[in-house]
Amino acid sequence: MELLKVLPWRRAFLAVILNLLALSLSTTALLGSYWCTGTQKVPKPLCGKSKATKCIGVPMPPDAGASNASSQDVVHYSWETGDDRFAFRYFHTGMWLSCEESMEGPEEKCRSFIELSPPAERGILWLSLGSEMLYISLLLISFILLMVEMLHTGNPVCGLKLNAFAAVSSVLSGLLGMVAHMMYTQVFQATVNLGPEDWRPHSWEYGWAFYMAWASFTCCMASAVTTLNTYTKTVLEFKRNHIKGYEASFKDQPQHQQYFIQQQISSYYEPRDKPLHSVSEGVDFYSELQQKVLQREPELELDEVLGQTIGEDRC
């Protein structure tokens, strides 16, 4: 009897695609510096030869060049008041770096976000970084297991075990990713209130990397659900095919032999207090059943009683 006539290629392929998408999105979000974006309110610098925009213009007297007074001793007056005295520069922040627009030129000035965060929150930030990297590592392990399962089609029992390990890995990685994202959000909000004065944002919002990280978490959990669904359906079909195969093989057997083996199978599938049996336990059960039949009727051939047995080796 063939164990699985048609493998669930569609569900397995969908799980691999979702896992690969989650892995790509999470890696891009971790390396990006656009988790949060906004503006910072900073005083405008004085206008000079190298700075003509977003600066405070200072009128110079006509005899300023002939004056012997030092430029530091000259009193400058500006009529700009309120928000006109300030400039709003753009900034973006990630898990590693915080970059802001430079007032002196077009380039950006970047600083370590770990150094900007309050000392009391740095431990949480390191935990967030560690959880994020572990999240990506488990996603990679789950992807490898799913690929091995798709390519290793010779032993369905091994494929089921790989499928189960991939599902568990995906669920654990999703939980770690969710915790990492929430911890980073807490650290950033604390840095907004308690961070350095020259960095505190005037207004901010979440950037594309933040939404990409949560999209990765969604794809990860969808991959885990798909993998678990594939495992459950395969196990149920395994048991159903075995029951049908053995019932068909019993038709030509004596009545007492049918009664004995049906009693053994019924005792195995009846409700019990312990969890559901795995496929490997089912293989052990049928092997034990063969031994019982041999002990009961030594002269009876097993192939005639049980039909075609399981040909696949255990994983």
Side-chain angles (χ1 to χ4, degrees):
M1 182 184 63
E2 186 178 356
L3 177 60
L4 291 176
K5 295 182 179 180
V6 179
L7 292 175
W9 287 106
R10 292 185 179 180
R11 292 193 298 270
F13 184 73
L14 178 61
V16 171
I17 292 299
L18 289 173
N19 189 279
L20 181 61
L21 183 61
L23 182 61
S24 303
L25 292 175
S26 59
T27 305
T28 304
L30 178 63
L31 299 178
S33 60
Y34 286 86
W35 283 67
C36 299
T37 61
T39 57
Q40 297 170 335
K41 187 176 181 180
V42 296
K44 289 182 180 179
L46 296 177
C47 294
K49 294 181 179 180
S50 60
K51 186 67 176 177
T53 59
K54 295 183 179 180
C55 59
I56 298 177
V58 178
M60 298 295 293
D63 56 346
S67 175
N68 295 328
S70 174
S71 59
Q72 297 179 355
D73 299 333
V74 177
V75 179
H76 303 288
Y77 295 94
S78 175
W79 300 103
E80 293 184 351
T81 58
D83 288 341
D84 294 335
R85 298 182 295 110
F86 297 94
F88 296 90
R89 64 183 181 187
Y90 174 79
F91 82 98
H92 54 91
T93 303
M95 280 193 164
W96 302 99
L97 293 176
S98 176
C99 300
E100 58 238 17
E101 180 185 1
S102 177
M103 302 303 295
E104 286 79 15
E107 67 277 357
E108 290 184 339
K109 177 184 177 183
C110 295
R111 292 181 283 180
S112 173
F113 182 72
I114 299 176
E115 297 178 357
L116 293 173
S117 60
E121 301 292 333
R122 289 178 185 174
I124 300 178
L125 181 58
W126 280 113
L127 283 176
S128 175
L129 289 170
S131 300
E132 192 72 25
M133 289 186 286
L134 188 58
Y135 164 58
I136 295 175
S137 301
L138 288 175
L139 274 178
L140 181 60
I141 293 174
S142 178
F143 174 75
I144 294 174
L145 291 175
L146 289 173
M147 289 300 300
V148 172
E149 180 208 353
M150 290 187 62
L151 299 177
H152 183 72
T153 58
N155 194 326
V157 177
C158 282
L160 281 176
K161 291 185 177 181
L162 291 172
N163 191 283
F165 285 129
V168 172
S169 178
S170 297
V171 172
L172 290 178
S173 63
L175 294 177
L176 284 172
M178 179 183 65
V179 172
H181 303 160
M182 295 176 65
M183 286 192 296
Y184 175 80
T185 304
Q186 175 185 346
V187 173
F188 180 81
Q189 292 176 354
T191 308
V192 169
N193 298 323
L194 305 175
E197 291 286 346
D198 62 338
W199 180 86
R200 294 181 187 178
H202 178 260
S203 62
W204 63 275
E205 61 183 5
Y206 294 112
W208 57 265
F210 179 82
Y211 296 109
M212 186 176 290
W214 282 107
S216 170
F217 165 76
T218 304
C219 293
C220 174
M221 298 309 295
S223 174
V225 171
T226 305
T227 307
L228 286 173
N229 180 265
T230 303
Y231 176 81
T232 305
K233 288 187 176 181
T234 306
V235 169
L236 293 177
E237 182 155 351
F238 176 87
K239 293 181 178 180
R240 182 175 60 85
N241 290 341
H242 273 81
I243 293 175
K244 286 185 177 180
Y246 285 119
E247 287 179 352
S249 65
F250 296 156
K251 292 181 179 179
D252 299 331
Q253 301 300 325
Q255 185 67 28
H256 67 281
Q257 293 294 338
Q258 295 183 21
Y259 175 77
F260 170 71
I261 298 177
Q262 288 288 356
Q263 185 179 10
Q264 294 292 330
I265 296 178
S266 300
S267 64
Y268 174 76
Y269 285 109
E270 66 183 1
R272 299 184 180 181
D273 297 334
K274 61 182 183 180
L276 292 176
H277 297 278
S278 64
V279 177
S280 60
E281 291 177 348
V283 175
D284 295 337
F285 166 76
Y286 288 112
S287 300
E288 182 180 356
L289 180 59
Q290 293 175 6
Q291 296 177 1
K292 288 184 178 180
V293 174
L294 282 175
Q295 294 174 0
R296 183 181 179 90
E297 297 288 342
E299 70 279 1
L300 191 61
E301 295 293 336
L302 282 179
D303 291 340
E304 297 177 359
V305 177
L306 296 179
Q308 184 179 358
T309 59
I310 300 174
E312 294 83 3
D313 296 332
R314 292 186 55 194
C315 181

